[in-house]
Amino acid sequence: MQELEQVGPRLRAARQARGWTLEDLAARANMSVSTLSRLESGKRQASLELLLPLTRRLGIRVDDLLEEQDRDPRVRRHEVQRDGMTIAPLTLEESSVRAYRITYHPGSPEHEPKTHDGHEWLYVLSGRLHLHLGGEDLVLKRGEAAEFDTRTPHTMRAEGSRPAQIISIFSATGERMHLYGAESE
C-alpha cells in the first residue's frame, strides 16, 4: 500500500516537470482543479477513470506512477527523425531538465526563426552548427557551447556538408516548444 501513497506526489512531479499549473493539467484532462489537487495531495483515492486522462495528457503510463524508487535509471527512449534532425533523448521522460543529442543533417530545409518560453544550453560534439540568434549568425565548431533565452528568435542547422551533432539541454517548456512545436499540445 505504500506504493499507492506515491501516486499523488509522482503525479504532481510529472505535472511540474512540464511546467504546468494545476489549472493547466485539469483543463487538459477535463477535470476540476479541486479533484486534481486532492489526487496530488493524497486526499482522494486514485482510480483508473481519473488517472487515464491525466497520464495521457502528461505523456506517461499509469505504471510510471506506481514504480518503486529503485527502478532502472537507464534511459530507454527511442530516437526520432524530424525536420532534418535525429533527436535522441538522454533523460528520463519525467526529468525536470531535458537533454538530447541532436544531429542536424546537411541540406535540410531552413526554417523561420522561432521564439518560445524557456532557456537552452548546447554543446557541439562534432561538425559545425549554424545558429541564427536574433539578428546574428554564428557558426559553432566542435567543443564550443552556447546559452540563450529562447524568447530570442532562433534557428539551427548544419553548416557545410557534414552533420552537426550537439548536446542540447532545456526546461520542459523549452523542450515541448523546440522539438515538438505548439501544435502538439
Side-chain angles (χ1 to χ4, degrees), residues 161-173:
S161 61
R162 295 183 49 219
Q165 190 172 79
I166 68 167
I167 298 290
S168 188
I169 302 170
F170 22 15
S171 65
T173 302

Side-chain angles (χ1 to χ4, degrees), residues 116-137:
H116 52 85
D117 288 336
H119 208 81
E120 183 166 356
W121 299 264
L122 63 89
Y123 177 82
V124 181
L125 294 170
S126 65
R128 294 173 28 180
L129 180 75
H130 180 268
L131 170 63
H132 178 81
L133 184 62
E136 197 171 356
D137 285 301

Side-chain angles (χ1 to χ4, degrees), residues 3-33:
E3 194 172 87
L4 290 177
E5 293 173 12
Q6 294 304 308
V7 169
R10 288 181 181 153
L11 186 59
R12 180 183 304 114
R15 174 181 58 78
Q16 290 173 338
R18 283 148 187 79
W20 295 350
T21 64
L22 280 166
E23 292 81 9
D24 293 336
L25 180 56
R28 291 168 194 230
N30 199 25
M31 74 174 50
S32 73
V33 174

Side-chain angles (χ1 to χ4, degrees), residues 65-145:
L65 299 174
L66 301 172
E67 289 185 33
E68 296 177 16
Q69 292 292 348
D70 61 348
R71 67 178 183 187
D72 187 347
R74 291 176 287 189
V75 177
R76 297 174 188 245
R77 297 171 61 199
H78 299 287
E79 285 186 350
V80 175
Q81 302 284 329
R82 183 175 182 274
D83 296 333
M85 298 181 289
T86 302
I87 304 165
L90 301 176
T91 51
L92 296 170
E93 179 69 33
E94 64 273 11
S95 181
S96 61
V97 174
R98 307 296 172 88
Y100 293 86
R101 184 188 72 233
I102 303 174
T103 303
Y104 291 90
H105 300 285
S108 297
E110 290 193 37
H111 300 285
E112 289 295 315
K114 294 184 180 180
T115 62
H116 52 85
D117 288 336
H119 208 81
E120 183 166 356
W121 299 264
L122 63 89
Y123 177 82
V124 181
L125 294 170
S126 65
R128 294 173 28 180
L129 180 75
H130 180 268
L131 170 63
H132 178 81
L133 184 62
E136 197 171 356
D137 285 301
L138 306 165
V139 177
L140 285 79
K141 299 177 285 196
R142 184 172 59 93
E144 290 189 298

Side-chain angles (χ1 to χ4, degrees), residues 82 114 176-178 180-185:
R82 183 175 182 274
K114 294 184 180 180
R176 189 170 60 250
M177 295 302 292
H178 195 282
Y180 304 109
E183 66 276 357
S184 67
E185 291 189 86

Side-chain angles (χ1 to χ4, degrees), residues 1 4 38-39 42-47 50:
M1 285 307 202
L4 290 177
R38 289 192 317 261
L39 276 172
K43 294 178 181 171
R44 178 162 183 165
Q45 188 171 8
S47 68
L50 293 172

